[in-house]
Amino acid sequence: MMNTLLLDCGSGGRASHRLIGEIFLRHFDNPVLRELDDAAKLELPHGRIAMSTDSYTVTPLFFPGGDIGSLAVHGTVNDVSMLGARPLFLTCAFILEEGLDMALLDRVAASMGAAARRAGVSIVSGDTKVVPRGMCDKLFVTTTGIGELLADPAPAGSRAKPGDAVLLSGAIGDHGLAVLGQRDSLSFLDGIKSDSAPLNAMVERLMLEVGDIHVLRDPTRGGLATTLNEIAGQSGVACEIDEESVPVHANVAAGCDILGLDPLYLANEGKLICIVPEKKAAAALRVMRESNYGTEATHVGEIIEPSLPHKSGQVILRTRIGGRRLLAMAEGAQLPRIC
Amino acid sequence: MMNTLLLDCGSGGRASHRLIGEIFLRHFDNPVLRELDDAAKLELPHGRIAMSTDSYTVTPLFFPGGDIGSLAVHGTVNDVSMLGARPLFLTCAFILEEGLDMALLDRVAASMGAAARRAGVSIVSGDTKVVPRGMCDKLFVTTTGIGELLADPAPAGSRAKPGDAVLLSGAIGDHGLAVLGQRDSLSFLDGIKSDSAPLNAMVERLMLEVGDIHVLRDPTRGGLATTLNEIAGQSGVACEIDEESVPVHANVAAGCDILGLDPLYLANEGKLICIVPEKKAAAALRVMRESNYGTEATHVGEIIEPSLPHKSGQVILRTRIGGRRLLAMAEGAQLPRIC
């Protein structure tokens, strides 16, 4: 194999075929992918499915706790899961810069393959484009996932109801700070690792063992505060959360203090918000705490009837010192290119 | 709406929501997309589906006969169709450069929406990432499509059989030259338009009215020659085609002569190869000629038993002057970034 990527590797000709065989087929191997047709032929148990797509442009490509490859698997597996679905198949489309170090591409593909196997999904089809040097930043990847819906009605952002409990699967802010620390070589952030992880096993247990899950949503870009605002807006409710009860690791809290960042707005890649009727909250928390990636799960707040002073779509934070303040949706990005 | 794209528009916060509402929801509007959940909830008639993904990095973004938006719809609709499937749903993921002209993004999204409506598919979920200036070339888009399989066994690259007829739905090379002409301002290529078009209606009629379709494949990157080599290799057969019978528009042939390009290796975005048992060839050709985008369909060759001097996986061209020569797979790209 050559050491650096050539434009020819995106041509559809022999050079493309070698790239696919030597890197992608080797790391993603499965019978569907091996057919190498224009599309993958798939068998799903039924036709009620969830489908989601995300492009990944994170920089740097490798960071403590993960890399763009595993992130691209976890992120899309999680988005499909948030409809209460069992993710089954992924596609991946690479946009690569001419001159890319092939060993780096091989490491990313190996990480994607391993992440897919751990999450129990197959990468069934793909695409590779190579653009001339300077036309993209090393490597972008877009994954799309599909999965079978496990319940009808499915969890949805519009289904939060007054009286529901708001549960969070663990501590927030690690992913955003881990990427920032690596990118800007901030040594005081050493030791913070991304939480990038697949949440489908936890979701499947919530759906099948607890049931009646109203909302599942992973607080990625925009963080917990923005995601709760989205849910409150979609459901036409208000939401109150306790600052004290939201878990934040000590090193993340310290890093945020130094940088003037708010962990409530930092991206997470392995956490979910679960909104359930209050009577289901204890069972849901137990399942979350028993799951991988959910040991720090906790009850963080409630959905409430919108009535003055709490308007529909608003999120209220009960602060540590006993006050209440509005937690607005982020306007823009605290940190760009974290996913 | 602001005039140029800000990094904040990829943040997941309010600026992202405005971008989605003002551009994407407006042009792609449908009930599934409007839910704005992490994934789209879809109902398919059954669970036997085709799924395909492609990234589009074509430059320039607008070219005679199309643009990156309509191309991203047609390309993926066609890839799903090539398994003999009826495409139903698309997702789209944008990677955008900070500072992008918003009017340009609006034109691309409008073109995507219109192309999806014409092809009868819905854009049900999406993603937007914004990278800092210089980190990508204006706009890349990745579409992923799913559709219901219409036959079992489905057409596949591995199903060509000796004796089968090789049919081509029309003239080749227009897309590759149209993009090149626009990019390099080659005035002698004026008048050549991309053939970018959705082929799903033609495929559906072939599947339902003719049946027993062995192979469908659209000769995009690498052109007719490379695609036939892939099929011959996957099926373990040889293939002979008549140079004389392969339609090439006069202006494309003239442009290729000047540039030293071979139309057999140029990309097409609205053509398909259909391989059927000889007894089905007349019926298939009739359906193709009656379809939009298929009026110039023609019989171009046959699948033959691999026996010396024709080895398995080889494609042989019967030349205009009566000779025979091997038509190899392209090694690399004649023209980069044409899709």
Side-chain angles (χ1 to χ4, degrees), chain B residues 245-263:
Chain B
S245 67
V246 175
V248 181
H249 292 145
N251 53 3
V252 171
C256 282
D257 272 351
I258 296 174
L259 294 163
L261 295 172
D262 185 341

Side-chain angles (χ1 to χ4, degrees), chain A residues 17-36:
Chain A
H17 286 257
R18 278 197 300 272
L19 176 70
I20 291 166
E22 291 174 14
I23 296 197
F24 301 124
L25 271 181
R26 191 157 62 82
H27 292 301
F28 304 163
D29 190 45
N30 63 66
V32 180
L33 186 62
R34 232 175 288 141
E35 291 291 319
L36 292 179

Side-chain angles (χ1 to χ4, degrees), chain A residues 7-8 10-15 17-18 35-44 46-55 57 79-80 82-83 89 91-95 125-132 134-137 140 142 144-146 149 154 156-158 216-218 221-222 226 230 234 328-333 336-337 339, chain B residues 7-8 10-15 17-18 35-44 46-55 57 79-80 82-83 89 91-95 125-132 134-137 140 142 144-146 149 154 156-158 216-218 221-222 226 230 234 328-333 336-337 339:
Chain A
L7 267 184
D8 278 349
S11 64
R14 276 187 212 284
H17 286 257
R18 278 197 300 272
E35 291 291 319
L36 292 179
D37 275 314
D38 285 333
K41 192 171 65 175
L42 306 173
E43 294 265 356
L44 294 145
H46 54 73
R48 293 184 310 286
I49 69 167
M51 181 175 193
S52 187
T53 194
D54 261 318
S55 287
T57 63
D79 278 347
V80 170
M82 295 306 131
L83 241 51
F89 302 110
T91 61
C92 70
F94 287 94
I95 298 174
S125 194
D127 181 50
T128 310
K129 294 291 189 306
V130 184
V131 296
M135 296 292 123
C136 84
D137 187 16
F140 300 143
T142 302
T144 307
I146 57 173
L149 287 172
S158 57
L216 292 170
R217 186 70 65 94
D218 54 342
R221 282 184 290 180
T226 299
E230 287 174 358
Q234 285 177 272
M329 182 177 279
E331 169 60 30
R337 291 188 73 186
C339 62
Chain B
L7 268 183
D8 278 348
S11 65
R14 276 189 213 282
H17 286 255
R18 279 197 299 272
E35 291 290 320
L36 291 179
D37 275 313
D38 284 334
K41 192 170 65 175
L42 306 174
E43 294 265 357
L44 294 146
H46 54 73
R48 294 184 309 286
I49 68 167
M51 181 176 191
S52 186
T53 194
D54 261 318
S55 288
T57 63
D79 278 348
V80 170
M82 295 306 132
L83 241 53
F89 302 110
T91 61
C92 68
F94 286 94
I95 299 174
S125 194
D127 181 49
T128 309
K129 293 291 189 307
V130 183
V131 296
M135 295 293 126
C136 85
D137 187 16
F140 300 144
T142 302
T144 307
I146 57 172
L149 288 172
S158 58
L216 292 170
R217 187 68 65 91
D218 54 341
R221 283 184 289 181
T226 299
E230 287 173 359
Q234 285 177 273
M329 182 177 278
E331 168 61 28
R337 291 187 73 187
C339 61

Side-chain angles (χ1 to χ4, degrees), chain A:
Chain A
M1 196 165 64
M2 61 243 169
N3 295 325
T4 60
L5 186 73
L6 307 178
L7 267 184
D8 278 349
C9 294
S11 64
R14 276 187 212 284
S16 288
H17 286 257
R18 278 197 300 272
L19 176 70
I20 291 166
E22 291 174 14
I23 296 197
F24 301 124
L25 271 181
R26 191 157 62 82
H27 292 301
F28 304 163
D29 190 45
N30 63 66
V32 180
L33 186 62
R34 232 175 288 141
E35 291 291 319
L36 292 179
D37 275 314
D38 285 333
K41 192 171 65 175
L42 306 173
E43 294 265 356
L44 294 145
H46 54 73
R48 293 184 310 286
I49 69 167
M51 181 175 193
S52 187
T53 194
D54 261 318
S55 287
Y56 298 85
T57 63
V58 64
T59 186
L61 298 173
F62 298 84
F63 46 83
D67 60 80
I68 194 170
S70 54
L71 186 67
V73 171
H74 298 156
T76 295
V77 159
N78 292 348
D79 278 347
V80 170
S81 301
M82 295 306 131
L83 241 51
R86 177 187 288 140
L88 296 169
F89 302 110
L90 294 185
T91 61
C92 70
F94 287 94
I95 298 174
L96 305 173
E97 186 181 10
E98 180 189 17
L100 185 71
D101 177 7
M102 291 295 268
L104 184 150
L105 180 60
D106 192 67
R107 275 176 70 197
V108 169
S111 172
M112 284 189 81
R117 283 189 293 278
R118 276 196 308 270
V121 297
S122 303
I123 298 173
V124 291
S125 194
D127 181 50
T128 310
K129 294 291 189 306
V130 184
V131 296
R133 209 180 283 264
M135 296 292 123
C136 84
D137 187 16
K138 294 189 187 77
L139 183 162
F140 300 143
V141 59
T142 302
T143 52
T144 307
I146 57 173
E148 59 166 314
L149 287 172
L150 296 174
D152 186 15
S158 57
R159 293 188 54 219
K161 290 184 182 53
D164 284 356
V166 179
L167 313 176
L168 177 65
S169 68
I172 57 171
D174 298 73
H175 177 74
L177 279 202
V179 172
L180 177 69
Q182 181 74 19
R183 184 161 65 204
D184 294 349
S185 305
L186 302 177
S187 59
F188 61 92
L189 298 179
D190 283 359
I192 298 176
K193 283 171 68 171
S194 168
D195 62 342
S196 176
L199 299 172
N200 50 328
M202 185 192 299
V203 167
E204 187 159 337
R205 285 197 58 193
L206 285 169
M207 297 301 296
L208 301 181
E209 296 177 28
V210 181
D212 201 15
I213 309 290
H214 288 174
V215 183
L216 292 170
R217 186 70 65 94
D218 54 342
T220 54
R221 282 184 290 180
L224 181 66
T226 299
T227 306
L228 288 175
N229 269 278
E230 287 174 358
I231 296 168
Q234 285 177 272
S235 294
V237 295
C239 173
E240 269 202 15
I241 64 167
D242 257 321
E243 187 170 20
E244 192 90 60
S245 66
V246 175
V248 180
H249 293 145
N251 52 5
V252 171
C256 281
D257 272 351
I258 296 174
L259 294 163
L261 295 172
D262 185 341
L264 290 166
Y265 292 90
L266 286 180
N268 312 283
E269 292 290 346
K271 295 300 176 307
L272 62 80
I273 297 163
C274 173
I275 299 181
V276 286
E278 180 56 41
K279 66 176 191 293
K280 293 273 192 184
L285 264 185
R286 185 173 40 73
V287 161
M288 289 162 80
R289 287 176 183 158
E290 285 172 10
S291 301
N292 286 335
Y293 320 117
T295 51
E296 299 173 308
T298 183
H299 185 298
V300 295
E302 305 77 39
I303 299 298
I304 57 177
E305 194 78 57
S307 68
L308 288 176
H310 299 338
K311 281 191 273 190
S312 171
Q314 286 189 336
V315 180
I316 298 97
L317 185 73
R318 293 191 293 263
T319 64
R320 270 175 234 282
I321 54 166
R324 276 180 159 74
R325 70 174 172 91
L326 209 60
L327 205 59
M329 182 177 279
E331 169 60 30
Q334 284 201 112
L335 304 171
R337 291 188 73 186
I338 42 68
C339 62

